Amino acid sequence: MVVVHETRASRVLLGAGARLRVPSEVERVGASRVLVVATSSAAAAGDEVVAGLRERAVARFDRPVVHTPVAVTEEAMALVQAHDVDAVVTIGGGSAVGLGKAVVARAGVAHVAVPTTYAGSEVTPVLGEIRDGVKQTRRDPVLLPTTVVYDVELTLGLPAGLTLTSAVNALAHAVEALWAPNPTPVTDALATEACRLLLAALPTVLDEPGDVAARSALQQGAWLAGSCLATAQMGLHHQLAHALGGAFDLPHAELHTMLLAHVVRHNLPHAPAAAQRLAELVAGDPADAIAGLAASYPGPRRLRDLGVPEDGLAAVAERVASAPYPNPGPTGAPAVLELLRAAW
Ligand code: NAD
């Protein structure tokens, strides 16, 4: 077998206070007319960046929406055109970064991404957009942000529920990379280290949300996990999250959190190398360890808690089984339905 590993260059800054370097990073890419996208949760950081950019901050947008609806992108594009923007700075979770990618796809400008969650979109060349209720996904190297700035200080206030679901979302990228059909020594190393960082740091952060070292470990794990998502083929876990999310309009990160332990239990008997790596990282059974993490904060635990009807599961199982993503465990409709029932 011939292994192919392709990496695209993104410049990455990592460290407490790194957001203060955004203006010099904008200068480095030669931009002078910047659209600053900052979610309301990142308003203060947005203010800092705008102040640092001074006259180079020509427009601001603060309403990115999950799954990047085209109508919202068009609002941002009106600013891009009106102000002749040549770079976008995005500060926020995957929704803000996604909007930046959507602007890049249309205007070809530079993109400095400053993520404040663990979603990992900032290191992938992938964009999902919603048009007329239909999600379309594209993969193109130009979508990879020019520069990524990881500043742990922007994550210290991430509420416990979001911290848990976002970190388990990241863990899912790494776990699926461990059993992907196209592993390379690089994705194996990234995925193993991502799992180690995320599994070790998450309990500490849930206990002590302001623990800077543990928060930093989570952010580094999210970076590595996102890098796995960029290159490894995702399997049943991501397919189920997409299929359920699309069918019942469910929150992305919560879904990952309630599904991952079930998919791990389903797949590990068929993925011995992944099973061994995960078992070395947790004391005991990996599925139990992930289920324990998912249960460590009050919130919706089961698909039924999100309002998924039990009689809707069979149709999802059929759809998944009709065109399965590559996956080590069984992907026939009966097996998938059994998994979904357990998560329900
Ligand atoms: P999000 O960006 O929608 O943020 C969720 C909520 O958290 C928002 O209300 C936001 O304001 C708030 N928030 C973000 N950071 C915060 C902080 N530090 N403190 C307090 N509140 C904060 O959620 P997400 O899970 O980061 O991203 C989800 C989106 O990203 C989806 O659209 C998903 O499809 C996309 N995504 C894309 C990729 C990709 O590779 N293309 C990868 C992962 C996720």
Side-chain angles (χ1 to χ4, degrees):
M1 192 177 86
V2 176
V3 170
V4 178
H5 184 83
E6 200 173 299
T7 341
R8 306 275 171 181
S10 242
R11 181 175 155 90
V12 178
L13 280 70
L14 171 84
R19 67 188 180 284
L20 302 173
R21 302 266 287 268
V22 168
S24 57
E25 290 303 313
V26 166
E27 195 171 328
R28 197 171 182 279
V29 299
S32 58
R33 307 186 58 77
V34 182
L35 166 66
V36 177
V37 172
T39 40
S40 49
S41 61
D47 291 346
E48 273 180 321
V49 165
V50 165
L53 286 168
R54 294 191 288 193
E55 68 284 354
R56 286 175 296 161
V58 295
R60 187 158 175 177
F61 188 81
D62 61 4
R63 298 181 309 282
V65 172
V66 69
H67 301 318
T68 338
V70 169
V72 175
T73 300
E74 281 165 359
E75 282 182 57
M77 281 305 296
L79 293 172
V80 169
Q81 276 144 11
H83 297 279
D84 196 18
V85 160
D86 59 6
V88 58
V89 172
T90 57
I91 314 166
S95 297
V97 175
L99 177 58
K101 289 176 167 179
V103 165
V104 169
R106 288 160 178 78
V109 297
H111 181 188
V112 178
V114 189
T116 65
T117 67
Y118 308 120
S121 175
E122 66 282 354
V123 287
T124 81
V126 178
L127 168 64
E129 294 182 283
I130 299 263
R131 185 189 293 275
D132 302 326
V134 180
K135 184 157 181 177
Q136 296 165 333
T137 301
R138 55 174 126 174
R139 174 182 278 270
D140 186 330
V142 304
L143 296 173
L144 201 62
T146 328
T147 308
V148 179
V149 177
Y150 288 110
D151 185 339
V152 66
E153 290 174 358
L154 298 180
T155 65
L156 298 179
L158 194 63
L162 271 171
T163 297
L164 171 69
T165 56
S166 191
V168 175
N169 186 4
L171 184 62
H173 307 330
V175 167
E176 289 232 284
L178 284 178
W179 61 49
N182 60 337
T184 76
V186 179
T187 55
D188 277 344
L190 290 175
T192 306
E193 180 63 1
C195 290
R196 189 188 70 75
L197 286 164
L198 294 164
L199 288 166
L202 186 51
T204 310
V205 169
L206 291 175
D207 226 33
E208 185 48 70
D211 184 319
V212 177
R215 280 279 185 192
S216 183
L218 274 193
Q219 194 173 43
Q220 290 172 43
W223 170 13
L224 303 185
S227 305
C228 293
L229 180 66
T231 51
Q233 287 180 48
M234 295 290 115
L236 182 61
H237 175 83
H238 280 73
Q239 186 173 21
L240 286 175
H242 296 159
L244 286 162
F248 304 109
D249 193 20
L250 304 175
H252 184 78
E254 274 95 329
L255 252 184
H256 278 279
T257 306
M258 54 186 70
L259 285 173
L260 186 61
H262 295 283
V263 182
V264 166
R265 195 163 282 127
H266 178 91
N267 271 353
L268 284 193
H270 309 274
Q276 190 186 339
R277 282 182 188 239
L278 285 172
E280 283 166 8
L281 295 177
V282 298
D285 177 58
D288 289 346
I290 293 168
L293 274 178
S296 62
Y297 182 76
R301 299 268 167 81
R302 300 164 304 185
L303 293 175
R304 73 170 87 176
D305 302 332
L306 292 180
V308 175
E310 189 176 14
D311 61 6
L313 298 178
V316 173
E318 291 288 347
R319 197 165 330 123
V320 166
S322 69
Y325 292 9
N327 188 66
T331 52
V336 175
L337 183 57
E338 193 182 319
L339 191 169
L340 286 174
R341 285 227 171 90
W344 192 82

